[in-house]
């Protein structure tokens, strides 16, 4: 993994001056393909439906996180940091991606975890986190996580903090790049300009960055962020702020961008969280089943199922082209998993009561 400004990122094609100034590490294989999901569209009665295959963003672990980490870990490395810390639910995709890539770059990675509903997938995720070299800390709830974070910082003051979901200013830049990348695919004729783009909202950096990137490229596509969390859920103002922080960082790096003036087509769709973050909903599970059966797309019930479910309901009986942003990795770490007793003691209880 070299450190460089890439000629082959949409962002650096658009703003060559930024490529020279914002540090970045190569973690992704871009662009990710766009495919058409005709069978789902037919069955659900939507207009032409396209899928951005960001599940394939990296050969090690895909989804939306590696895009953010290219810039967030690039900044950590350029700043001479040797250790990063991040946060997530027990089944965190973001924590796994951060630990996996940080360790490969030679950085230590602390992951502080809070509760979410425990199932086989979550238990496996804890073992995967351990396998890729994460140092795990059980915070249980938000105050507990804050306490753990303070302890780690007291021991290692020069730890780079990667916020939950990777939605730092640098992380958002990676998602602006993704928006510009999609715009290039539209201009190459790989898909028509989508009327709406549906993407899951956890911390909101992905939706915000995409909206900013599409706006910079002059597309009229509206980003519909589907809220899937009730743990510090972002509101529309927060999404707007995230987008502008990313834009301001680009401006500081020399891009001719007026962060205040960029007109964002971005909305937050609520009503799909169900009983909370990580809890299944009927509509979400239906969408996961449909995607698997008709297109062989592997979604999950925490983010992408709820998002596709929202799309299918809202686009029913409409005929404009729309895009589903597949933010869930279809690549998973391989190799033997450690046994759960190897996890730090506080996690053992999660394995001793089977449910
Ligand atoms: C983290 C995650 C998201 C949410 O991205 P945010 O930028 O935090 O809103 C969406 N989908 C999947 C699969 C994720 O892991």
């Amino acid at each position: 993994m070299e450190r460089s400004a890439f000629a082959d990122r949409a962002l650096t094609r658009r703003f060559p001056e930024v490529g020279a100034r914002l540090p970045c590490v190569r973690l992704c294989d871009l662009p990710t393909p766009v495919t058409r999901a005709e069978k789902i569209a037919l069955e659900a009665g939507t207009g032409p439906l396209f899928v951005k295959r960001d599940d394939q963003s990296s050969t090690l672990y895909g989804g939306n996180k590696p895009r953010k980490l290219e810039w967030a870990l690039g900044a950590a490395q350029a700043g001479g940091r040797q250790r990063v810390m991040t946060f997530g639910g027990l089944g965190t995709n973001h924590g796994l991606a951060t630990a996996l890539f940080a360790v490969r770059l030679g950085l230590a990675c602390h992951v502080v975890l809070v509760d979410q509903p425990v199932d086989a997938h979550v238990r496996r995720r804890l073992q995967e986190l351990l396998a890729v070299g994460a140092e795990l800390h059980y915070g249980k709830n938000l105050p507990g996580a804050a306490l753990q974070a303070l302890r780690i910082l007291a021991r290692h003051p020069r730890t780079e903090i990667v916020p939950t979901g990777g939605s730092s200013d640098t992380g958002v830049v990676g998602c602006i790049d993704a928006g510009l990348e999609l715009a290039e695919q539209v201009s190459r004729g790989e898909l028509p300009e989508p009327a709406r783009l549906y993407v899951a909202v956890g911390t909101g950096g992905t939706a915000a960055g995409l909206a900013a990137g599409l706006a910079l490229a002059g597309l009229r596509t509206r980003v519909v962020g589907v809220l899937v969390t009730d743990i510090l859920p972002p509101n529309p103002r927060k999404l707007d702020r995230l987008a502008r922080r990313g834009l301001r960082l680009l401006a500081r790096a020399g891009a001719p961008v007026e962060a205040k003036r960029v007109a964002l087509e971005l909305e937050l769709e609520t009503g799909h969280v169900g009983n909370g973050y990580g809890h299944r909903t009927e509509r979400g599970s239906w969408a996961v089943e449909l995607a698997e059966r008709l297109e062989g797309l592997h979604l999950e019930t925490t983010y992408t199922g709820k998002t596709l479910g929202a799309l299918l309901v809202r686009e029913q009986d409409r005929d404009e082209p729309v895009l589903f942003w597949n933010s869930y990795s279809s690549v998973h770490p391989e190799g033997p998993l450690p046994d759960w007793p190897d996890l730090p003691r506080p996690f053992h209880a999660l394995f001793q009561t089977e449910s």
Side-chain angles (χ1 to χ4, degrees), residues 64-65 68 93 165 167 200-206 300 303-304 327-328:
N64 59 342
K65 300 312 183 306
K68 299 173 173 188
N93 300 324
S167 289
V201 168
T203 56
T206 307
E300 40 64 58
Y303 294 96
T304 45
S327 52
Y328 178 57

Side-chain angles (χ1 to χ4, degrees), residues 31-303:
T32 56
V34 174
T35 55
R36 192 156 174 183
E38 264 176 314
K39 293 185 192 127
I40 298 181
L42 200 66
E43 175 134 341
T46 71
L49 173 60
F50 296 85
V51 182
K52 178 67 166 161
R53 299 299 305 271
D54 249 29
D55 54 295
Q56 302 172 5
S57 63
S58 161
T59 50
L60 289 174
Y61 185 76
N64 59 342
K65 300 312 183 306
R67 287 191 182 269
K68 299 173 173 188
L69 292 167
E70 288 201 321
W71 305 84
L73 293 180
Q77 236 191 8
R81 304 299 179 107
Q82 279 166 10
R83 185 174 286 281
V84 299
M85 163 165 61
T86 197
F87 310 88
L90 293 169
T92 180
N93 300 324
H94 163 68
L96 183 66
T98 306
L100 193 153
F101 291 114
V103 167
R104 286 198 164 232
L105 293 171
L107 305 167
C109 182
H110 298 272
V111 184
V112 180
L113 299 166
V114 299
D115 281 330
Q116 76 175 73
V118 177
D119 59 14
H121 169 78
V122 165
R123 292 194 182 98
R124 187 183 166 84
R125 175 51 41 88
L126 290 168
Q127 291 166 286
E128 287 169 342
L129 280 161
L130 195 63
V132 301
E135 296 179 36
L136 296 176
H137 309 267
Y138 193 15
K140 263 187 109 63
N141 48 32
L142 293 178
L147 199 68
Q148 296 279 356
L150 290 175
R151 281 202 187 118
I152 294 161
L153 284 175
R155 225 178 323 138
H156 308 288
R158 295 234 331 126
T159 301
E160 174 102 348
I161 295 179
V162 178
T164 315
S167 289
S168 57
D169 300 7
T170 46
V172 170
V173 164
C175 302
I176 295 178
D177 176 55
L180 291 166
E181 176 183 305
L182 181 72
E184 287 187 345
Q185 292 174 306
V186 169
S187 68
R188 284 201 296 268
E190 292 177 27
L191 74 161
E193 176 176 300
R196 283 164 295 283
L197 178 165
Y198 289 77
V199 63
V201 168
T203 56
T206 307
L210 285 173
L214 294 172
L216 288 176
L219 262 65
R220 284 159 316 213
T221 303
R222 188 166 182 78
V223 173
V224 180
V226 178
L227 186 67
V228 302
T229 186
D230 57 341
I231 306 171
L232 302 175
N235 56 26
R237 262 199 19 246
K238 167 89 188 291
L239 295 189
D240 189 86
R241 223 163 37 229
L242 274 174
R244 299 201 195 275
R245 277 172 37 193
L247 289 166
R248 272 203 300 278
L249 182 54
L250 291 185
R252 280 202 302 279
V257 168
E258 268 202 83
K260 266 196 304 230
R261 295 259 168 99
V262 176
L264 300 173
E265 282 291 333
L266 172 60
E267 68 178 90
L268 186 62
E269 170 127 338
T270 55
H272 295 273
V273 184
N275 288 333
Y277 176 76
H279 288 266
R280 286 159 199 257
T281 59
E282 210 171 298
R283 183 176 295 155
S285 300
W286 164 70
V288 169
E289 188 277 323
L290 206 67
E292 180 75 52
R293 176 164 52 85
L294 298 178
E295 311 281 352
L297 274 180
H298 304 294
L299 306 184
E300 40 64 58
T301 52
T302 299
Y303 294 96

Side-chain angles (χ1 to χ4, degrees), residues 36-50 192 196 311-312 314-323:
R36 192 156 174 183
E38 264 176 314
K39 293 185 192 127
I40 298 181
L42 200 66
E43 175 134 341
T46 71
L49 173 60
F50 296 85
R196 283 164 295 283
L311 179 157
L312 294 177
R314 192 160 142 185
E315 296 297 331
Q316 191 171 24
D317 301 326
R318 300 177 84 162
D319 54 13
E320 296 156 303
V322 292
L323 182 91

